Amino acid sequence: MKILVISDIHENFDNLVKIFQEIKDKNIQQIICLWDMINNGIAKVITSHNISVHLVWWNNDWEIVNITKTFLGTWNTVSDTVFDSVEFWWRKIFLTHYSSIAKSMAKSWDFDAVFYGHNHIIHEEIIDECYVLNPWEVWAHKTWISSYAVYDTDTNSAEIFQLEDAKNIKSSETSEYIKKHVKFKFSKSKSHQF
């Protein structure tokens, strides 16, 4: 099974749309989002695809009720805490937004993989036979690099992809994509209203 792993989107619609365009031919069967979406517009973009999504909570999501309503569709799941564990095929995976507990959970011998985000730093390592991954950031603000990972349950490893022309702002291409595929409009205000 191939799983898209994304983290720290921080309202970057442009990079998120590019990621979904890039993964069309990657046979993605599940999405894991390690949060920091900021608003419900991002949730609507992620759920506009026919791929089930699993989410863990956050430190930077201001529209919690609306985001939860958007994700609790027919095939999506939302954790009720800042960490969770999921099983896909025979792999047990620990999910958290926070880097502070990722290594401890990897050392527990309870999981095949641990995914985390939050610090916007790419990281891969094996700890006591557990694969540990931080897929970096979609946002491209801290590092000016936007990335995502595709985890393979068969190999218990991931490939990390960087967007070649990552942006730190919303572009006209993104606005057109969202008008066509997602049912909301960008607000003219500079607040987080969608």
Side-chain angles (χ1 to χ4, degrees), residues 28-91:
I28 301 297
Q29 297 168 279
Q30 177 73 35
I31 298 169
I32 291 176
C33 181
L34 303 169
W35 282 80
D36 279 1
M37 288 185 271
I38 308 297
N39 73 57
N40 195 35
I42 292 292
K44 288 180 180 181
V45 171
I46 294 172
T47 58
S48 69
H49 301 83
N50 290 326
I51 305 171
S52 62
V53 182
H54 190 87
L55 307 163
V56 292
W57 287 103
W58 83 112
N59 69 304
N60 269 322
D61 291 301
W62 304 326
E63 296 183 12
I64 294 169
V65 172
N66 289 333
I67 289 170
T68 301
K69 284 180 182 179
T70 296
F71 274 99
L72 289 179
T74 57
W75 59 84
N76 302 312
T77 56
V78 179
S79 174
D80 58 358
T81 65
V82 296
F83 61 87
D84 204 352
S85 65
V86 293
E87 288 190 47
F88 296 111
W89 292 16
W90 58 89
R91 298 291 184 192

Side-chain angles (χ1 to χ4, degrees), residues 7-160:
S7 185
D8 296 286
I9 302 164
H10 289 268
E11 293 189 307
N12 194 318
F13 287 90
D14 196 69
N15 291 345
L16 184 63
V17 166
K18 286 177 187 172
I19 288 169
F20 279 108
Q21 290 170 336
E22 280 193 13
I23 66 166
K24 285 180 187 174
D25 299 324
K26 295 190 188 309
N27 193 28
I28 301 297
Q29 297 168 279
Q30 177 73 35
I31 298 169
I32 291 176
C33 181
L34 303 169
W35 282 80
D36 279 1
M37 288 185 271
I38 308 297
N39 73 57
N40 195 35
I42 292 292
K44 288 180 180 181
V45 171
I46 294 172
T47 58
S48 69
H49 301 83
N50 290 326
I51 305 171
S52 62
V53 182
H54 190 87
L55 307 163
V56 292
W57 287 103
W58 83 112
N59 69 304
N60 269 322
D61 291 301
W62 304 326
E63 296 183 12
I64 294 169
V65 172
N66 289 333
I67 289 170
T68 301
K69 284 180 182 179
T70 296
F71 274 99
L72 289 179
T74 57
W75 59 84
N76 302 312
T77 56
V78 179
S79 174
D80 58 358
T81 65
V82 296
F83 61 87
D84 204 352
S85 65
V86 293
E87 288 190 47
F88 296 111
W89 292 16
W90 58 89
R91 298 291 184 192
K92 191 169 182 185
I93 306 167
F94 182 82
L95 310 174
T96 181
H97 180 68
Y98 295 105
S99 54
S100 59
I101 61 174
K103 289 187 179 185
S104 297
M105 296 313 294
K107 293 176 183 176
S108 72
W109 289 90
D110 290 332
F111 302 99
D112 296 297
V114 172
F115 302 156
Y116 70 96
H118 184 60
N119 63 11
H120 302 241
I121 298 170
I122 191 170
H123 183 82
E124 278 185 292
E125 73 175 304
I126 305 293
I127 298 175
D128 295 335
E129 299 182 30
C130 180
Y131 177 70
V132 180
L133 170 71
N134 181 338
W136 221 340
E137 62 177 348
V138 172
W139 190 20
H141 180 73
K142 186 172 184 178
T143 62
W144 290 93
I145 296 169
S146 179
S147 68
Y148 63 95
V150 175
Y151 172 75
D152 188 334
T153 57
D154 289 339
T155 62
N156 194 31
S157 64
E159 186 172 354
I160 297 173

Side-chain angles (χ1 to χ4, degrees), residues 11 62 187-194:
E11 293 189 307
W62 304 326
S187 169
K188 292 188 187 218
S189 77
K190 296 193 181 200
S191 69
H192 302 291
Q193 302 298 315
F194 291 92

